[in-house]
Amino acid sequence: MRLTARERIHALIEPFVIARKTYDEALVVEVEIEAEGVIGRGEAAGVDYRGDTPDRMLLQLRDLSEWLDRGGTLDRVLLATRLPPGGARNAVDCALWDLEAKRSGVSAAARAGLAPLRAVETFVTLGMDSPAAMGAKAARWAERYGALKVKLGDADDMARLDAIRSAAPRARLIADANQGWTLAQLNDRAPRMARMGVELLEQPLPVGRDDELLDYRGAVPLCADESLDDRADLDRVVGRYAFCNIKLDKAGGLTEALALAKAARERGLRLMVGCMEGTSLGIAPALLLAQGCEIVDLDCPMQLVRDVDGGFGYRDGWLRPNGPDLWG
């Protein structure tokens, strides 16, 4: 078994702004694992707010590659003992799923015990900008997409939502504060958001302040994002959030993400699947997870000047199962 990894830089159509950062390009690490002439592929962006950069991922992957070259063996169970949750493990885990599917002739979905994959509608994300600019973009996008996600995080947030709802009165709306609010702001804004029909709000408070949400009085369901990576974090979010946002990069791959989804559902949490930046190669494994999620936010390839060959295309905001040449 041989592992190779490389960084890929993908140009964005325009800068993408959230509360904590502006993204000017998408940086990902692509992994290939070859065994007996068959190659499995995976991709990860990492979790930047955890310090999970492409450079760090490449160092982890170099060590893993050298271990394999010395005669080490690897499967998805052993992988969890060799790498911590994060982008490097995600890329390798997904490459192993792809390799298993190609070697067996059985799709990754079938190997995961899923029915044939169905198309899902993704929310399409509006990065932070002025209320007027976001409203104008929402008006254009609402002609093509039925579900919009709004990035929030400062004093102009309600003006943004007002402008977007006025411009797109029939669109489904969710919002993401990316840890940018206080509890007082949340309780003040939630009633207006409910009247606008906002279906969900992600991560209003900073990580570590989840217990304050026991005093949340609003009707808009809250979703844990930065507060939840894998199953070890479930105790922190149960009883404080209605939803959890599962991302392959945070969980460390499709294997843990599927296990997390099952455990979260058993504990009464509703499910959302999200993504970091990247191409359709990184999104294809998440489509398996999306089959059991109420909220799907897998639009990151739509921000790219050019997606990978065989990408989803995102016609009208829908992801349709990809061909086997892409992944799985």
Side-chain angles (χ1 to χ4, degrees):
M1 183 175 284
R2 185 173 64 90
L3 184 152
T4 58
R6 63 188 64 84
E7 182 180 13
R8 301 286 195 191
I9 302 174
H10 298 277
L12 300 183
I13 295 171
E14 61 186 20
F16 181 66
V17 183
I18 65 174
R20 65 173 183 269
K21 184 175 181 179
T22 297
Y23 293 87
D24 296 308
E25 56 194 4
L27 306 177
V28 299
V29 170
E30 184 180 311
V31 165
E32 291 186 352
I33 299 177
E34 181 179 354
E36 300 177 354
V38 180
I39 296 175
R41 298 193 302 154
E43 177 191 279
V47 188
D48 57 356
Y49 55 83
R50 301 265 192 265
D52 194 21
T53 63
D55 286 344
R56 179 184 174 190
M57 288 189 283
L58 288 170
L59 285 174
Q60 292 174 311
L61 294 167
R62 184 191 65 188
D63 291 344
L64 184 62
S65 177
E66 292 173 352
W67 177 72
L68 289 173
D69 291 343
R70 295 193 299 269
T73 59
L74 190 62
D75 59 28
R76 290 186 287 108
V77 175
L78 287 172
L79 175 63
T81 70
R82 302 293 310 183
L83 288 175
R89 197 172 92 187
N90 174 32
V92 177
D93 182 79
C94 291
L96 288 170
W97 276 95
D98 190 36
L99 181 68
E100 292 166 15
K102 288 182 168 69
R103 295 178 74 181
S104 68
V106 178
S107 71
R111 295 181 70 85
L114 300 175
L117 297 180
R118 58 180 174 81
V120 297
E121 185 179 23
T122 182
F123 279 81
V124 182
T125 306
L126 291 157
M128 285 182 68
D129 204 332
S130 69
M134 292 180 76
K137 181 176 285 189
R140 296 194 303 272
W141 283 12
E143 296 176 359
R144 296 180 57 194
Y145 309 123
L148 302 179
K149 173 175 170 176
V150 184
K151 287 290 188 178
L152 303 174
D154 65 22
D156 291 331
D157 285 343
M158 296 312 297
R160 290 184 175 98
L161 286 171
D162 284 335
I164 290 165
R165 179 45 88 201
S166 295
R170 291 182 297 277
R172 296 178 64 193
L173 284 186
I174 63 173
D176 184 0
N178 280 120
Q179 310 182 70
W181 291 5
T182 65
L183 178 64
Q185 289 172 322
L186 173 61
N187 279 327
D188 177 65
R189 296 167 176 174
R192 288 177 60 192
M193 294 173 68
R195 290 193 293 272
M196 291 180 197
V198 176
E199 298 179 24
L200 172 146
L201 174 64
E202 288 183 70
Q203 198 69 39
L205 307 188
V207 172
R209 292 172 56 182
D210 308 283
D211 284 348
E212 294 182 34
L213 296 175
L214 296 171
D215 293 321
Y216 170 58
R217 300 188 298 273
V220 177
L222 304 182
C223 178
D225 183 359
E226 289 91 342
S227 286
L228 178 133
D229 293 341
D230 58 18
R231 284 174 288 177
D233 296 321
L234 281 173
D235 285 343
R236 180 191 319 180
V237 303
V238 169
R240 295 152 182 83
Y241 298 89
F243 281 80
C244 63
N245 186 349
I246 303 175
K247 297 178 180 176
L248 302 191
D249 277 303
K250 294 191 301 176
L254 178 61
T255 302
E256 172 61 23
L258 291 170
L260 172 58
K262 180 176 184 294
R265 193 181 296 111
E266 289 172 348
R267 299 195 63 179
L269 287 166
R270 299 161 70 183
L271 303 183
M272 173 179 180
V273 58
C275 59
M276 310 305 282
E277 67 249 36
T279 74
S280 286
L281 176 59
I283 292 300
L287 182 58
L288 275 64
L289 187 63
Q291 302 300 298
C293 294
E294 293 182 54
I295 302 290
V296 176
D297 176 23
L298 297 176
D299 66 330
C300 55
M302 297 176 68
Q303 302 166 16
L304 304 179
V305 172
R306 185 178 185 277
D307 195 4
V308 294
D309 292 340
F312 286 105
Y314 290 94
R315 188 169 66 252
D316 298 327
W318 284 81
L319 285 77
R320 293 162 179 85
N322 54 278
D325 290 342
L326 177 63
W327 183 89

